[in-house]
Amino acid sequence: MYTGLAATVAATVAPAVDRVTSDSLADHVRAGYPTYSRARVDTAATTYLVYLSIVGMLGVVAWLWTIHAVRTDKRWSRGATTAIFAVGISVALTDLLIKDTSGETGLPPLLGWIGMMPCLPGLIVVTMLWRMR
């Protein structure tokens, strides 16, 4: 579970690191909308960054809550963890695959795949919880 938490933190920080280094997010927006001004591209990239930060923070909270629920052996932890996983993988797949009006994916593929990282530990945790007695 801590691996999932760490993967979520990494996936949350990655877009911010990208923004201050290579800025592939802004480049991706610029490629999809070549007529956009620099200010409009920056606004779109910042909006994505805020969205991804909020989703990431909610993911961190979900992992911490799940860790607590499983550690304290709550009866409902399996069902709640499964529901959280379903929501998490749905959001991650949407972020990876959704197309914007330019016909391209909304996020650069690398950032979309980084957002999928926490899903593998999530799947393992859910599988292990349902196998436990």
Side-chain angles (χ1 to χ4, degrees):
M1 295 180 98
Y2 288 106
T3 301
L5 176 60
T8 302
V9 169
T12 303
V13 171
V17 171
D18 170 73
R19 188 84 166 115
V20 298
T21 58
S22 67
D23 208 7
S24 68
L25 185 53
D27 292 342
H28 184 74
V29 172
R30 192 175 299 108
Y33 300 94
T35 61
Y36 274 16
S37 67
R38 181 177 176 92
R40 196 161 180 193
V41 168
D42 285 343
T43 299
T46 300
T47 301
Y48 266 121
L49 183 60
V50 169
Y51 161 75
L52 293 171
S53 297
I54 291 168
V55 168
M57 288 185 282
L58 290 172
V60 167
V61 169
W63 275 109
L64 292 171
W65 184 80
T66 300
I67 289 167
H68 172 73
V70 171
R71 181 177 282 164
T72 56
D73 201 27
K74 302 292 184 190
R75 263 184 301 148
W76 43 264
S77 64
R78 282 193 283 184
T81 300
T82 303
I84 290 169
F85 172 72
V87 170
I89 198 163
S90 297
V91 170
L93 283 170
T94 299
D95 290 347
L96 176 67
L97 300 174
I98 197 163
K99 305 269 187 208
D100 63 18
T101 57
S102 72
E104 295 294 321
T105 57
L107 291 175
L110 179 61
L111 290 179
W113 282 108
I114 288 172
M116 291 293 297
M117 279 189 334
C119 296
L120 181 59
L123 177 63
I124 292 168
V125 166
V126 167
T127 302
M128 289 174 62
L129 284 173
W130 283 102
R131 287 187 165 184
M132 289 177 14
R133 291 193 165 243

